[in-house]
Amino acid sequence: MDRKIAVLAGDGVGPEIMNEAVKVLDAVAERYSHHFEYGYADIGACAIAKYGEPYPERTDMMCKSCDAVLFGAIGDPAYDNDPSAKVRPEQGLLRMRKELGLFANIRPVEPYPSLYGVSPLKESVIRGTDFVIVRELTGGIYFGEPRGISEDGTRAFDTCRYSVDEIRRIADVGFGYAMKRRRKLTLVDKANVLATSRLWRRTVTAMQKESYPEVELDFMYVDNAAMKLAMNPSALDVILTENMFGDILSDLGGALGGSIGMLPSASEGSSHSLFEPVHGSYPQAKGKGIANPTAQILSAAMMLDDAFGLAVEADAVRSACRSAVENRVCTPDILCDGWSTTEQVGNYCKQFILNH
Ligand code: IPM
Ligand code: MN
């Protein structure tokens, strides 16, 4: 199979973990006789430095001309501490999601049994956890207008908006996952306070009745969902939720398994798809060889599976990551003594794929 992949490593540890993911993809190509071509492009703080904007036109063209996008991370502390910055790296990611129409963000949370010991939860609580967060990605308070700050700088406002169409298309994705899994869908919202949440409930309830009667649908307020994630995560199957709640809960999901450095994600739309780790750019770790490349490598596995239909190859990559952890080839977020570098983890996965 011939495929072209847009590679957007971004900022912080993005380039280091991306190197390892590309290494693993090269091993897949060699082992299974595929040909992957890579189109490199800039996004985030590095793009601002080069082109004055976080998502330049040529990056957009690169994404649109490729079969899938593999993305690393963006963000730079220089901007975090400067609330007056006119352009911010994060705008690049948001613009890209919007521009590519990536309305569905899929974040599976399935901690490895061999890592139950590093979970902050008791083993009896974390055991059997296997759920997926289906997060709406191009609407809600992230994009709603009007937004801004008053002229005198004393008041600021954001707007949360959702239309029935936006809710329906992401809910279809959520129901689709539930049908493939344990047929349990939990809509997470704040319907006791927010009008948008009440629209979500009404729309999703009607869809369940009309089109997905086999799926058991339940509802959870987001504050309660945070508690359930920490107290009884194994009871969850598919969480369907809006943009901001999904953002917050997926970091919590990452913490459950002991390290957010393990969590991949897929962002999908009707004509493009993008794969990225759930974690951010981790600038403190940049250049130290300590960043966990697993989330990036597993994101590449999701790409092989979802975008290219290469299920066997994707499984080989997942087995490689699992084997690395079982053999304690892990970065220091997981292993205190005798940890491996970012590169050693990537090399292990590469060898595993070539030898199996
Ligand atoms: C994520 C990130 C982004 C988000 C940031 C970097 C804009 O936290 O992908 O979860 O909030 O969506
Ligand atoms: Mn986030």
Side-chain angles (χ1 to χ4, degrees):
M1 177 181 283
D2 270 26
R3 285 291 180 269
K4 187 162 180 204
I5 303 161
V7 176
L8 277 49
D11 304 321
V13 298
E16 311 164 33
I17 56 175
M18 188 63 87
N19 273 343
E20 304 314 312
V22 168
K23 186 185 282 177
V24 165
L25 285 171
D26 282 340
V28 167
E30 185 180 332
R31 167 73 180 73
Y32 297 91
S33 309
H34 299 301
H35 179 250
F36 299 139
E37 194 189 324
Y38 307 105
Y40 291 87
D42 296 299
I43 186 165
C46 61
I48 298 177
K50 264 198 208 165
Y51 305 98
E53 47 181 324
Y55 185 60
E57 180 69 31
R58 65 173 300 281
T59 301
D60 185 53
M61 280 164 54
M62 181 63 85
C63 292
K64 286 177 179 159
S65 69
C66 288
D67 299 300
V69 181
L70 191 61
F71 168 67
I74 56 166
D76 188 299
Y79 296 88
D80 294 342
N81 303 323
D82 178 8
S84 68
K86 286 272 179 301
V87 280
R88 311 177 57 81
E90 289 77 7
Q91 290 166 342
L93 178 56
L94 299 182
R95 205 177 301 159
M96 173 169 69
R97 288 174 177 167
K98 196 74 170 177
E99 194 58 48
L100 302 178
L102 307 173
F103 64 86
N105 185 217
I106 315 302
R107 299 187 158 180
V109 179
E110 193 187 350
Y112 295 158
S114 58
L115 283 184
Y116 287 167
V118 299
S119 167
L121 303 182
K122 285 197 285 268
E123 184 155 347
S124 59
V125 176
I126 187 74
R127 190 180 303 127
T129 296
D130 173 9
F131 63 88
V132 49
I133 299 177
V134 176
R135 169 190 176 194
E136 201 289 327
L137 202 60
T138 51
I141 200 163
Y142 272 60
F143 293 93
E145 297 287 347
R147 54 173 52 227
I149 186 155
S150 66
E151 262 182 26
D152 65 0
T154 61
R155 281 163 300 132
F157 50 99
D158 296 284
T159 306
C160 187
R161 281 178 195 278
Y162 272 110
S163 68
V164 168
D165 288 348
E166 283 176 300
I167 298 166
R168 288 188 72 96
R169 66 181 182 178
I170 185 70
D172 263 322
V173 176
F175 279 115
Y177 273 88
M179 291 293 288
K180 283 188 288 185
R181 297 171 51 98
R182 303 195 298 276
R183 304 200 166 185
K184 217 171 146 296
L185 184 72
T186 303
L187 175 61
V188 169
D189 63 24
K190 191 73 185 173
N192 50 348
V193 178
L194 302 177
T196 42
S197 288
R198 290 192 281 273
L199 185 63
W200 274 76
R201 271 200 195 200
R202 198 194 315 149
T203 308
V204 173
T205 302
M207 289 174 73
Q208 190 267 346
K209 286 210 180 79
E210 279 160 24
S211 317
Y212 302 99
E214 310 92 326
V215 175
E216 182 196 329
L217 172 66
D218 65 358
F219 308 98
M220 223 181 258
Y221 296 139
V222 62
D223 48 349
N224 185 236
M227 187 174 80
K228 289 278 162 55
L229 248 70
M231 295 189 69
N232 191 13
S234 63
L236 296 159
D237 184 14
V238 180
I239 291 179
L240 170 66
T241 191
E242 61 115 84
N243 203 342
M244 173 101 110
F245 298 157
D247 177 46
I248 298 167
L249 292 181
S250 56
D251 267 38
L252 181 51
L256 298 184
S259 170
I260 198 174
M262 302 295 298
L263 239 61
S265 86
S267 302
E268 295 174 355
S270 44
S271 40
H272 300 284
S273 56
L274 175 146
F275 302 84
E276 60 171 304
V278 169
H279 65 74
S281 62
Y282 194 14
Q284 312 87 301
K286 186 183 166 133
K288 295 189 181 152
I290 58 171
N292 189 345
T294 309
Q296 186 77 66
I297 295 171
L298 291 174
S299 298
M302 285 186 93
M303 175 181 76
L304 294 172
D305 219 343
D306 299 359
F308 305 161
L310 298 174
V312 170
E313 290 82 340
D315 271 343
V317 175
R318 290 188 190 109
S319 299
C321 290
R322 198 174 312 114
S323 169
V325 169
E326 282 163 3
N327 287 288
R328 304 181 75 73
V329 180
C330 301
T331 43
D333 49 316
I334 288 177
L335 202 60
C336 298
D337 290 322
W339 52 269
S340 304
T341 62
T342 309
E343 202 181 340
Q344 285 167 332
V345 174
N347 289 344
Y348 181 96
C349 293
K350 169 186 166 177
Q351 279 312 322
F352 183 97
I353 290 161
L354 292 176
N355 297 339
H356 282 79

